Each structure stands twice: as structure tokens, then as C-alpha cells.
Amino acid sequence: MSPNVTVEDLLQLAMRAAAAGAAVLATRDPAGFGATEKSSDADWVTAFDLAAERAVRSVISQARPNDVITGEELAPALPDEPSGYRWSIDPLDGTMNFIRNIAYYGTSVAVMGPDGAWLAGVVDAPALRRVYFASQGDGAWLNETRADGVQSLRRLSGPTEKRGGTLLSTALTYDPVVRRRLVSELDGRMDHFGDFRRLGSAALELCAVAEGSVDAYLEYGLFEHDFAAAGLIAEEAGAWVHRPELSPAINGLPSREEVLSVWTAACVPGLQSGFAPTS
């Protein structure tokens, strides 16, 4: 850790940056979507994705101009004299939810230190009025405005052990070949769970494990920006977390083939043997 920066400093900057992205999403207006298809008819990008990422990057670059910034929609920002710190941004996780006005979407921001460890992460979900955040060694937290209008801040610890009525959160990907394989595997995975859910946002599904809303989560096809912040949040809440190893983000996004070959997961500790792939 640089003597001029603390983990708390980085967390506060991550929260401001995520809030800037979430503020863009909060102005959701279908007339301004400008939606275009990416890899399939279920994978889209909107003008809000781009505007939110620019807002996030602006906050970070103004505060720490020598940090590397990588994200989903824009090219990596590579300063001439890099500090050793790198930010990973998902400006709008859950774009299809956003387009369809389903509340599970948000902005994710995470920062990695010079040793390659994730130091702080924030997932700001404006439609849910929830901000999940964590920093290395200081636990995971949820700041939310409850349905009764009361502001609430609480530490997240997830379910501490396997319980009845267990829920698996999973996804079937956009790729038809991988989807058929996952459908064939779903029956076996469900032997260990009472039911399953799909929220449509990888970040919020990882946060759901941290919060104890679901007991396990598994998905193929994620990029680093999808899990960087929420993976840390789940881990700091005490969950078992598996992150895939991907090509370096500073080189741009890895290929769709690469990400579809690896998986991301989180669960109540000890539950992983019932649903996680063996390789």
C-alpha cells in the first residue's frame, strides 16, 4: 500500500465514483436508450452504459490521475507513470433489466492494489436504493433506504451455514451451445437446492450471497468487471468465492470464447461441493 493512500481512502473514492455512475442510471428514460445489440439479442449496450462509465472514470481520474482504469465499454486508461493501482468498472450491470425496467441493475466499481489484491469494491443499485460495499479486511456492508423510507446501514454476513429451502442463483448464458450444456447440468445441481433464482445482474447476485438472500451463485461467461467489486463484497461477508483467471484487463476485454469457458461462483462455506464444477 502506498504511504499516501489508505484502503479507506480508496473505498470512499470507489463510493463516489459508483454514485456518479448510478446517478446517470437513475435518470433512466427509454427515449434516450440508444440501445444496440452486442454479442446476441440478449446482450445489449445503451447510451446510459457509456455515459455512466464516463462519469465513473471522471471521478477516479480527477482524484488519482496515475491509476490505470479498465471497464466494460471504453478502452483502458493507461497513464504514462502508473501508480500500480487499477480500477475495474462495470457502469451498468444488468443492461437488459435496465431496458425492461426491472430494478436489478447498478454500477460496480473496484480497485486493485500493486500486489494484485482487490482492496475495495462498491455496487450501487439506484432503483433498489441499495449500496453494497466492502474493503479488504473490514467486512461487507449494505447501506439502503428501506421500503418505509428509513435509512439503514448494516454489516453483511450472509447465511452462516446451510439451511432449509436453499436457493441457487444461476444463469444460462447467451451462447446456445453453452446454454444447452448448462440446462442438462441444472437437474443435477438442483439436487442440492430447494429452488433457484435469476436476478439478471451478476454483481447483485454475488451481493445476494453476501446478504444471505440466496445460498449459492454460479455463472459462466463473466468478465472481470462483472465480479470484481461484488466478489470482494461476498468474500468479506464470509462467503466462499471462486473467481476465474482471465487475460489481463489492461489488454482490453478477453474474447467471448475465453469467458464462456470459465465460471464464477459464491456460496455458503462448505456448500460448494454440491454445485460447483470440478474444473
Side-chain angles (χ1 to χ4, degrees):
M1 180 70 63
S2 166
N4 298 320
V5 65
T6 67
V7 172
E8 179 61 24
D9 293 334
L10 296 170
L11 174 62
Q12 291 302 315
L13 179 55
M15 293 183 75
R16 294 197 303 273
V24 172
L25 306 186
T27 65
R28 179 188 180 278
D29 178 1
F33 280 172
T36 56
E37 185 177 311
K38 291 169 72 175
S39 63
S40 77
D41 63 2
D43 187 16
W44 291 75
V45 62
T46 72
F48 285 86
D49 295 72
L50 298 169
E53 183 157 338
R54 292 189 183 102
V56 172
R57 286 180 180 238
S58 177
V59 172
I60 296 169
S61 61
Q62 287 180 28
R64 295 184 56 82
N66 292 323
D67 289 0
V68 172
I69 304 176
T70 59
E72 180 175 17
E73 307 301 345
L74 304 176
L78 306 175
D80 293 334
E81 299 181 4
S83 64
Y85 292 84
R86 180 170 66 81
W87 297 79
S88 182
I89 301 167
D90 192 342
L92 173 46
D93 188 60
T95 298
M96 183 59 76
N97 283 351
F98 182 78
I99 292 172
R100 299 296 183 96
N101 202 23
I102 298 169
Y104 285 86
Y105 57 83
T107 298
S108 296
V109 178
V111 59
M112 175 185 286
D115 64 354
W118 294 108
L119 300 177
V122 179
V123 177
D124 192 323
L128 297 175
R129 298 190 292 179
R130 298 176 188 170
V131 180
Y132 298 87
F133 61 95
S135 56
Q136 188 184 63
D138 197 37
W141 300 81
L142 170 60
N143 190 342
E144 70 174 326
T145 302
R146 301 185 328 206
D148 59 4
V150 174
Q151 195 80 14
S152 170
L153 175 65
R154 60 187 174 92
R155 187 164 187 162
L156 302 179
S157 59
T160 57
E161 59 187 15
K162 185 177 178 180
R163 56 189 173 176
T166 49
L167 294 177
L168 170 67
S169 181
T170 191
L172 300 177
T173 84
Y174 304 132
D175 183 271
V177 175
V178 178
R179 183 165 59 231
R180 282 192 289 271
R181 193 195 81 224
L182 292 174
V183 168
S184 71
E185 295 173 358
L186 185 59
D187 183 53
R189 288 200 173 98
M190 289 309 301
D191 287 344
H192 304 275
F193 296 92
D195 205 343
F196 71 93
R197 295 290 184 271
R198 174 55 174 155
L199 303 182
S201 163
L204 289 171
E205 283 165 314
L206 283 162
C207 288
V209 176
E211 192 173 1
S213 300
V214 299
D215 301 276
Y217 162 72
L218 172 69
E219 185 163 356
Y220 281 81
L222 297 188
F223 295 90
E224 178 196 87
H225 54 257
D226 292 309
F227 59 75
L232 178 64
I233 293 166
E235 202 165 58
E236 284 291 329
W240 171 86
V241 177
H242 172 85
R243 301 174 180 85
E245 293 186 10
L246 295 166
S247 299
I250 60 171
N251 297 334
L253 296 181
S255 68
R256 174 60 62 177
E257 291 73 23
E258 180 181 350
V259 298
L260 283 171
S261 70
V262 294
W263 51 280
T264 304
C267 71
V268 179
L271 195 62
Q272 60 267 29
S273 62
F275 78 99
T278 56
S279 62

